[in-house]
Amino acid sequence: MFQTFFPDEYLDSAYVIDYEKLYSQGYRGLIFDIDNTLVPHGEPADQRAIALFARLKKIGFQCCLLSNNQYERVSSFNKDVQVHFIEDAHKPSRKNYQKAMEIMGTEQKNTVFIGDQLFTDVYGAKRTGIRNILVRPIHPKEEIQIVFKRKLEKIVLYFYQKEQRKRKNS
């Protein structure tokens, strides 16, 4: 039942992903959530985020920010990282995941989504048929509607981690 929401991979941070390995595996497009994936909620791009996107471009990736936030928030974050972006994305709707791939010139088989929420980020990527990586939220401060979802996410992640342990031991 919960498998619908299980991420393909679950890591501590977007900053620990082996992007060179992803590139060598044939991935060419990266779609990112912003808040609590790359920076704390509402924060501008910091030096770590700016350096990450410079590195990703150097590797050869096309990148797109996909956020449910409004234009002002997404464009202000993007000012310093300079990648494609889609605001007001209505995740988990598939429409803007597909639009992001269209903008980047990629397709399902060579695109990865990176985000911090199961019910929007991961679920939308899974519904679209693209690989996804769930990362731990950067900061505990969140909007009230997300606080409730986090409680439900803990239940799903409990079963996800139980499944992972079972696979590892078999």
Side-chain angles (χ1 to χ4, degrees):
M1 176 174 119
F2 291 121
Q3 282 90 346
T4 304
F5 302 104
F6 285 1
D8 294 331
E9 204 170 345
Y10 183 31
L11 299 172
D12 285 336
S13 165
Y15 298 99
V16 301
I17 296 169
D18 188 342
Y19 293 103
E20 289 79 6
K21 182 177 179 184
L22 287 175
Y23 195 85
S24 73
Q25 292 171 338
Y27 292 98
R28 295 299 181 262
L30 301 172
I31 305 172
F32 286 90
D33 175 52
I34 300 171
D35 288 322
N36 258 342
T37 296
L38 296 166
V39 293
H41 187 81
E43 295 289 319
D46 57 17
Q47 288 306 310
R48 189 165 70 155
I50 294 166
L52 174 64
F53 283 99
R55 175 177 153 218
L56 295 174
K57 290 175 198 175
K58 189 174 181 185
I59 293 169
F61 281 110
Q62 288 292 313
C63 299
C64 186
L65 304 172
L66 187 65
S67 175
N68 284 347
N69 273 300
Q70 299 305 305
Y71 178 83
E72 187 178 305
R73 165 68 181 129
V74 182
S75 64
S76 68
F77 178 88
N78 191 52
K79 178 174 52 97
D80 293 319
V81 298
Q82 292 294 302
V83 295
H84 303 290
F85 69 88
I86 299 169
E87 78 282 354
D88 195 21
H90 300 284
K91 294 179 286 182
S93 170
R94 295 188 318 251
K95 179 183 172 194
N96 285 310
Y97 289 83
Q98 292 164 335
K99 183 178 176 185
M101 289 185 285
E102 194 177 301
I103 289 168
M104 295 186 300
T106 62
E107 50 198 13
Q108 293 161 305
K109 68 179 184 210
N110 65 355
T111 304
V112 179
F113 183 90
I114 297 113
D116 70 300
Q117 291 189 54
L118 283 176
F119 302 124
T120 52
D121 298 332
V122 168
Y123 183 53
K126 287 179 80 85
R127 291 180 68 221
T128 309
I130 61 176
R131 182 173 172 184
N132 59 83
I133 300 173
L134 177 70
V135 297
R136 294 185 194 285
I138 287 178
H139 195 274
K141 179 189 143 214
E142 306 210 75
E143 293 178 323
I144 192 68
Q145 72 271 18
I146 296 173
V147 172
F148 177 69
K149 285 195 279 186
R150 292 289 187 207
K151 293 181 186 311
L152 296 174
E153 282 184 354
K154 283 183 181 176
I155 296 166
V156 175
L157 287 172
Y158 167 81
F159 287 102
Y160 167 77
Q161 290 166 329
K162 186 176 177 181
E163 178 77 21
Q164 294 302 312
R165 285 190 299 274
K166 199 162 73 177
R167 285 183 185 177
K168 203 175 193 178
N169 295 328
S170 56

